Structures are given as C-alpha cells and as structure tokens.
Amino acid sequence: MKTIKVNIVTPDGPVCETDANTIIAVTEAGEIGILPGHVAMVAPLKIGSLRLIKDGVTEHVAVHGGFLEVRPDVVTVLAQSAEMASTIDIARAQAAAKRAEATLRAKKDDYDYQVVELELKRAINRISVYETRKK
Ligand code: ATP
C-alpha cells in the first residue's frame, strides 16, 4: 500500500516524522482524508485529533490549531502545540481542564473568555486523544 510522509512540527521542535497510508485531519472547513498523491493545498487546523493510519493501525495526535500543508508526497503540520497520544500527561490535562472550568464558572470581569475557552478545548482534546490509547 502506498504511503505519504508526515511531519508534525511545533515551536518546541519536531513532534513526529513518519509515514502513513491515510491521514485524517480536522480543518476549519471540516474533516479531510489525505491519501498519497493528494493535490497540493494548505488549510487551517482546528483543535482536534490528527489520525495517522498505517497498515490498519491508527495513531492519534492531539493538534492544537496551526496549519496543514499537503503536497502529493508529504504532509506537514505546523502547530502551536501537538502531542502523540503516548506522550500526553493526563494528570496535567485534567488539571488544566479543571482550572479552565473553574475560571469559566467564576465569570470574573477581568478574564479573557476566549483564551480560557481555548485552554479548555486543548485540555479536552488531550484527554480525548489520551483515551484512544486504550482502544
Ligand atoms: P497547561 O496549562 O497544562 O500548560 P496549555 O494548553 O496551556 O496546558 P500549551 O501552551 O498548549 O499548554 O503547550 C505548552 C507546552 O506543553 C507544549 O510543548 C505542549 O506540547 C506541552 N503540553 C501541554 N499540556 C500537555 C500535556 N497534558 N501532556 C503533554 N504535554 C503537554
């Protein structure tokens, strides 16, 4: 089966360099599936799970915004932060979710609702991607 290269890069450095038969990404326009030979394109990513499927095995990567660049032989993800399911610190993600939820509940005047909402979305995404490890 044909494969396509995948590079996931963040400001902290490379997160993953591998190849896959199919890549499924959550873009602002919706979910897309990428196969080897896909037409070149660039798309903004949502906070979500990037799925790398190879030989019937799916690997999940928590990706937090950024861009997807597709070329026929390589897919590059440039994200502010990204973690493979196996590197997620679940206690940290749960603590971040609790913190964000408490801030949203408190509804203080001086907090930035959008920033806290994004913190919560990142934490929920990490928890959800971590859960896929058990499946
Ligand atoms: P926190 O409040 O726990 O720092 P955050 O959403 O503000 O979470 P980010 O700014 O998205 O964190 O990421 C900062 C760095 O920490 C990145 O390198 C990211 O990969 C890493 N990181 C954040 N949360 C986790 C986690 N639960 N497990 C592993 N790495 C994490």
Side-chain angles (χ1 to χ4, degrees):
M1 221 176 162
K2 280 188 181 173
T3 59
I4 184 166
K5 283 198 178 75
V6 190
N7 290 316
I8 303 175
V9 184
T10 74
D12 296 328
V15 169
C16 167
E17 202 180 325
T18 185
D19 46 31
N21 305 123
T22 307
I23 298 154
I24 299 170
V26 188
T27 75
E28 293 285 353
E31 211 169 64
I32 60 163
I34 301 150
L35 299 171
H38 196 287
V39 289
M41 62 169 267
V42 172
L45 290 169
K46 284 176 87 161
I47 291 174
S49 167
L50 186 87
R51 280 170 280 162
L52 309 174
I53 304 165
K54 191 175 179 195
D55 300 332
V57 178
T58 305
E59 192 155 17
H60 295 251
V61 188
V63 174
H64 306 107
F67 285 90
L68 174 79
E69 185 203 28
V70 181
R71 282 185 275 144
D73 57 343
V74 57
V75 168
T76 306
V77 172
L78 287 172
Q80 196 55 42
S81 65
E83 301 93 35
M84 312 291 294
S86 58
T87 67
I88 290 174
D89 176 341
I90 187 65
R92 177 174 168 178
Q94 283 165 341
K98 271 194 188 152
R99 215 166 41 238
E101 278 163 356
T103 308
L104 290 174
R105 261 199 312 273
K107 286 191 179 143
K108 288 187 185 141
D109 291 339
D110 61 343
Y111 82 109
D112 186 333
Y113 175 83
Q114 284 184 341
V115 169
V116 182
E117 203 190 24
L118 284 175
E119 283 168 3
L120 181 57
K121 280 189 180 164
R122 289 198 297 273
I124 290 171
N125 187 42
R126 288 179 173 122
I127 293 166
S128 144
V129 167
Y130 177 87
E131 293 295 325
T132 64
R133 294 175 357 139
K134 299 172 194 160
K135 285 176 192 155

